[in-house]
Amino acid sequence: ETGVTQSPTHLIKTRGQQVTLRCSSQSGHNTVSWYQQALGQGPQFIFQYYREEENGRGNFPPRFSGLQFPNYSSELNVNALELDDSALYLCASSGKGEQYFGPGTRLTVT
Amino acid sequence: DAKTTQPNSMESNEEEPVHLPCNHSTISGTDYIHWYRQLPSQGPEYVIHGLTSNVNNRMASLAIAEDRKSSTLILHRATLRDAAVYYCILIYAGNMLTFGGGTRLMVKP
Protein backbone atom coordinates (compact mmCIF):
# COMPACT_ATOMS: atom_id res chain seq x y z
CA GLU A 1 0.00 0.00 0.00
CA THR A 2 1.58 3.29 -1.09
CA GLY A 3 1.39 6.36 1.11
CA VAL A 4 0.45 9.93 0.25
CA THR A 5 2.88 11.59 -2.11
CA GLN A 6 3.21 15.24 -3.10
CA SER A 7 5.03 17.06 -5.85
CA PRO A 8 7.09 19.06 -6.19
CA THR A 9 9.06 18.98 -2.94
CA HIS A 10 10.15 22.60 -3.16
CA LEU A 11 9.06 25.47 -5.36
CA ILE A 12 10.04 29.09 -5.74
CA LYS A 13 7.62 31.51 -7.40
CA THR A 14 7.38 35.26 -7.89
CA ARG A 15 4.60 37.41 -6.48
CA GLY A 16 1.64 37.53 -8.88
CA GLN A 17 2.37 34.16 -10.49
CA GLN A 18 0.20 31.08 -10.34
CA VAL A 19 1.17 27.67 -8.92
CA THR A 20 -0.21 24.13 -9.04
CA LEU A 21 0.65 21.58 -6.38
CA ARG A 22 -0.13 17.88 -6.74
CA CYS A 23 -1.07 15.10 -4.38
CA SER A 24 -1.56 11.36 -4.85
CA SER A 25 -3.84 9.87 -2.23
CA GLN A 26 -3.31 6.65 -0.37
CA SER A 27 -4.88 3.70 -2.15
CA GLY A 28 -8.60 3.33 -1.40
CA HIS A 29 -9.05 6.81 0.07
CA ASN A 30 -11.77 8.95 -1.52
CA THR A 31 -11.34 12.12 0.54
CA VAL A 32 -8.47 14.58 0.28
CA SER A 33 -7.83 17.67 2.37
CA TRP A 34 -5.32 20.47 1.87
CA TYR A 35 -3.62 22.47 4.61
CA GLN A 36 -1.29 25.45 4.73
CA GLN A 37 1.38 25.53 7.41
CA ALA A 38 3.30 28.74 7.98
CA LEU A 39 6.65 28.51 9.72
CA GLY A 40 6.29 27.81 13.44
CA GLN A 41 2.50 27.36 13.31
CA GLY A 42 0.06 24.49 13.11
CA PRO A 43 -1.50 23.55 9.77
CA GLN A 44 -4.55 25.57 8.67
CA PHE A 45 -7.37 23.84 6.78
CA ILE A 46 -7.84 25.12 3.21
CA PHE A 47 -10.47 22.79 1.74
CA GLN A 48 -11.55 19.20 1.38
CA TYR A 49 -12.72 17.15 -1.60
CA TYR A 50 -14.88 14.04 -1.48
CA ARG A 51 -15.48 12.08 -4.69
CA GLU A 52 -14.42 15.04 -6.86
CA GLU A 53 -16.68 17.60 -5.11
CA GLU A 54 -15.60 20.30 -2.66
CA ASN A 55 -16.84 19.17 0.73
CA GLY A 56 -15.79 22.02 3.00
CA ARG A 57 -13.61 25.10 2.96
CA GLY A 58 -11.60 27.01 5.50
CA ASN A 59 -10.99 30.75 5.67
CA PHE A 60 -9.05 31.10 2.43
CA PRO A 61 -9.83 33.41 -0.52
CA PRO A 62 -11.17 32.13 -3.88
CA ARG A 63 -7.73 32.38 -5.48
CA PHE A 64 -7.08 29.10 -3.65
CA SER A 65 -8.85 26.42 -5.68
CA GLY A 66 -8.65 22.69 -6.06
CA LEU A 67 -9.51 19.66 -8.10
CA GLN A 68 -9.91 15.98 -7.32
CA PHE A 69 -9.68 13.47 -10.13
CA PRO A 70 -11.46 10.11 -10.62
CA ASN A 71 -8.39 8.27 -9.36
CA TYR A 72 -8.62 10.48 -6.23
CA SER A 73 -5.40 12.34 -6.93
CA SER A 74 -5.71 16.05 -6.31
CA GLU A 75 -4.39 19.50 -7.20
CA LEU A 76 -4.18 22.75 -5.27
CA ASN A 77 -4.03 25.88 -7.44
CA VAL A 78 -3.12 29.29 -6.11
CA ASN A 79 -3.49 32.36 -8.33
CA ALA A 80 -1.97 35.81 -7.91
CA LEU A 81 0.60 34.63 -5.40
CA GLU A 82 1.35 36.88 -2.44
CA LEU A 83 4.41 36.88 -0.20
CA ASP A 84 2.28 35.54 2.69
CA ASP A 85 1.49 32.44 0.64
CA SER A 86 5.01 31.21 1.43
CA ALA A 87 4.40 28.08 3.50
CA LEU A 88 4.42 24.31 3.61
CA TYR A 89 1.37 22.92 1.80
CA LEU A 90 0.18 19.57 3.05
CA CYS A 91 -2.36 17.21 1.60
CA ALA A 92 -4.00 14.41 3.54
CA SER A 93 -6.12 11.54 2.35
CA SER A 94 -8.66 9.68 4.41
CA GLY A 95 -11.11 6.88 4.11
CA LYS A 96 -13.31 6.37 7.14
CA GLY A 97 -11.41 8.11 9.90
CA GLU A 98 -7.88 9.25 10.48
CA GLN A 99 -6.05 11.32 7.89
CA TYR A 100 -2.75 10.34 6.31
CA PHE A 101 -0.53 13.26 5.41
CA GLY A 102 2.02 13.64 2.68
CA PRO A 103 5.44 15.20 3.28
CA GLY A 104 4.31 18.55 1.91
CA THR A 105 5.44 21.03 -0.73
CA ARG A 106 7.52 23.97 0.47
CA LEU A 107 6.45 27.06 -1.50
CA THR A 108 8.52 30.21 -1.37
CA VAL A 109 7.12 33.38 -2.93
CA THR A 110 9.62 36.15 -3.62
CA ASP B 1 -14.98 22.81 16.29
CA ALA B 2 -14.49 23.28 20.01
CA LYS B 3 -11.17 24.74 21.19
CA THR B 4 -8.38 22.80 22.87
CA THR B 5 -5.65 24.07 25.19
CA GLN B 6 -2.22 22.43 25.44
CA PRO B 7 1.06 23.44 27.08
CA ASN B 8 3.48 24.98 24.61
CA SER B 9 6.30 22.59 25.45
CA MET B 10 7.24 19.65 27.64
CA GLU B 11 10.44 17.81 28.34
CA SER B 12 10.99 14.14 29.09
CA ASN B 13 13.84 11.76 29.67
CA GLU B 14 14.38 8.89 27.28
CA GLU B 15 12.68 5.60 28.25
CA GLU B 16 10.42 7.33 30.78
CA PRO B 17 6.63 7.69 30.39
CA VAL B 18 5.26 10.98 29.09
CA HIS B 19 1.83 12.39 29.85
CA LEU B 20 0.70 15.10 27.42
CA PRO B 21 -2.39 16.96 28.69
CA CYS B 22 -5.16 18.60 26.69
CA ASN B 23 -8.07 20.67 28.00
CA HIS B 24 -11.28 20.89 26.01
CA SER B 25 -13.89 22.26 28.38
CA THR B 26 -16.36 23.18 25.60
CA ILE B 27 -16.38 19.73 24.02
CA SER B 28 -19.78 18.54 22.80
CA GLY B 29 -21.15 15.05 23.17
CA THR B 30 -20.42 14.12 19.57
CA ASP B 31 -16.85 15.46 19.36
CA TYR B 32 -14.14 12.85 18.94
CA ILE B 33 -10.73 13.54 20.50
CA HIS B 34 -7.91 13.01 18.02
CA TRP B 35 -4.16 13.25 18.52
CA TYR B 36 -1.67 13.83 15.75
CA ARG B 37 2.04 14.47 15.94
CA GLN B 38 4.43 16.17 13.57
CA LEU B 39 8.05 15.16 13.53
CA PRO B 40 10.61 17.68 12.24
CA SER B 41 10.42 18.19 8.48
CA GLN B 42 7.48 15.79 8.07
CA GLY B 43 3.72 15.98 7.64
CA PRO B 44 1.50 15.29 10.66
CA GLU B 45 0.99 11.67 11.65
CA TYR B 46 -2.14 10.16 13.22
CA VAL B 47 -1.53 8.84 16.74
CA ILE B 48 -4.82 7.86 18.34
CA HIS B 49 -8.43 8.94 18.86
CA GLY B 50 -11.33 8.24 21.18
CA LEU B 51 -14.81 9.35 22.17
CA THR B 52 -15.49 8.38 25.79
CA SER B 53 -13.49 5.33 26.79
CA ASN B 54 -9.74 5.08 27.20
CA VAL B 55 -7.99 3.75 24.11
CA ASN B 56 -4.74 1.92 23.49
CA ASN B 57 -2.81 1.24 20.32
CA ARG B 58 0.74 0.36 19.41
CA MET B 59 1.86 3.98 19.55
CA ALA B 60 0.21 5.35 22.67
CA SER B 61 -2.69 5.36 25.12
CA LEU B 62 -5.42 7.96 25.40
CA ALA B 63 -6.98 8.61 28.78
CA ILE B 64 -10.23 10.59 28.67
CA ALA B 65 -11.64 12.23 31.77
CA GLU B 66 -15.08 11.09 32.89
CA ASP B 67 -16.59 14.53 32.10
CA ARG B 68 -14.65 14.57 28.80
CA LYS B 69 -13.36 18.07 29.46
CA SER B 70 -9.78 16.92 29.35
CA SER B 71 -7.67 14.09 28.01
CA THR B 72 -4.11 12.85 28.28
CA LEU B 73 -1.94 11.23 25.64
CA ILE B 74 0.41 8.74 27.23
CA LEU B 75 3.65 7.58 25.64
CA HIS B 76 4.71 4.64 27.77
CA ARG B 77 8.45 4.83 27.06
CA ALA B 78 9.65 7.95 25.29
CA THR B 79 12.36 7.56 22.69
CA LEU B 80 14.35 10.20 20.88
CA ARG B 81 12.17 9.51 17.83
CA ASP B 82 9.12 10.69 19.80
CA ALA B 83 10.42 14.27 19.82
CA ALA B 84 7.72 16.12 17.90
CA VAL B 85 4.86 18.61 18.14
CA TYR B 86 1.75 16.85 19.47
CA TYR B 87 -1.67 18.21 18.51
CA CYS B 88 -4.92 17.51 20.33
CA ILE B 89 -7.91 18.08 18.01
CA LEU B 90 -11.66 17.78 18.44
CA ILE B 91 -13.62 16.56 15.43
CA TYR B 92 -17.39 16.35 15.01
CA ALA B 93 -17.71 15.36 11.39
CA GLY B 94 -16.15 15.80 7.99
CA ASN B 95 -12.57 14.96 8.90
CA MET B 96 -11.66 18.65 8.83
CA LEU B 97 -8.86 19.08 11.31
CA THR B 98 -8.46 22.35 13.19
CA PHE B 99 -4.90 22.42 14.52
CA GLY B 100 -3.92 24.62 17.46
CA GLY B 101 -0.39 25.35 18.55
CA GLY B 102 0.27 21.89 19.94
CA THR B 103 2.84 20.80 22.53
CA ARG B 104 6.47 20.55 21.52
CA LEU B 105 7.88 17.46 23.23
CA MET B 106 11.61 17.36 23.79
CA VAL B 107 13.20 14.04 24.79
CA LYS B 108 16.53 14.06 26.55
CA PRO B 109 18.91 11.10 26.25
Side-chain angles (χ1 to χ4, degrees):
Chain A
E1 183 177 276
T2 58
V4 178
T5 60
Q6 293 186 243
S7 62
T9 305
H10 296 88
L11 199 54
I12 299 174
K13 289 285 190 178
T14 303
R15 189 171 51 183
Q17 286 187 317
Q18 178 266 343
V19 69
T20 297
L21 310 181
R22 294 179 175 83
C23 172
S24 290
S25 297
Q26 188 156 318
S27 176
H29 288 179
N30 54 21
T31 303
V32 66
S33 304
W34 284 89
Y35 296 83
Q36 179 195 67
Q37 186 172 24
L39 205 58
Q41 299 182 22
Q44 300 299 306
F45 174 72
I46 302 175
F47 45 58
Q48 182 183 87
Y49 278 79
Y50 171 69
R51 294 188 175 181
E52 304 175 57
E53 297 287 332
E54 189 177 290
N55 189 42
R57 189 177 183 91
N59 189 26
F60 281 82
R63 60 189 185 85
F64 286 78
S65 62
L67 281 173
Q68 187 183 28
F69 300 101
N71 65 355
Y72 301 134
S73 65
S74 173
E75 286 182 356
L76 164 66
N77 298 289
V78 187
N79 293 322
L81 284 167
E82 301 177 359
L83 296 179
D84 285 347
D85 295 334
S86 295
L88 180 68
Y89 288 85
L90 297 157
C91 78
S93 72
S94 53
K96 295 182 179 179
E98 61 268 23
Q99 296 192 21
Y100 294 87
F101 284 80
T105 293
R106 172 74 61 189
L107 173 65
T108 301
V109 182
T110 61
Chain B
D1 294 317
K3 185 178 173 57
T4 63
T5 304
Q6 300 177 254
N8 289 334
S9 63
M10 290 185 64
E11 207 169 78
S12 172
N13 294 317
E14 196 176 13
E15 298 193 6
E16 289 186 356
V18 182
H19 291 231
L20 298 166
C22 181
N23 288 319
H24 29 78
S25 58
T26 60
I27 190 170
S28 71
T30 51
D31 284 335
Y32 281 80
I33 302 161
H34 283 237
W35 284 81
Y36 283 75
R37 72 178 185 180
Q38 188 170 21
L39 280 64
S41 303
Q42 294 188 27
E45 173 187 32
Y46 168 79
V47 178
I48 200 168
H49 78 278
L51 183 61
T52 56
S53 303
N54 295 344
V55 184
N56 300 296
N57 67 18
R58 64 175 178 80
M59 290 182 69
S61 296
L62 176 60
I64 301 172
E66 198 168 330
D67 63 6
R68 301 208 330 122
K69 293 185 177 181
S70 66
S71 61
T72 302
L73 178 70
I74 302 166
L75 306 179
H76 296 285
R77 287 184 66 206
T79 70
L80 297 178
R81 288 173 294 179
D82 290 324
V85 179
Y86 287 79
Y87 296 98
C88 168
I89 303 168
L90 303 183
I91 303 173
Y92 164 57
N95 293 328
M96 300 167 199
L97 303 177
T98 302
F99 289 83
T103 296
R104 181 172 298 279
L105 175 65
M106 293 167 281
V107 180
K108 296 185 293 184

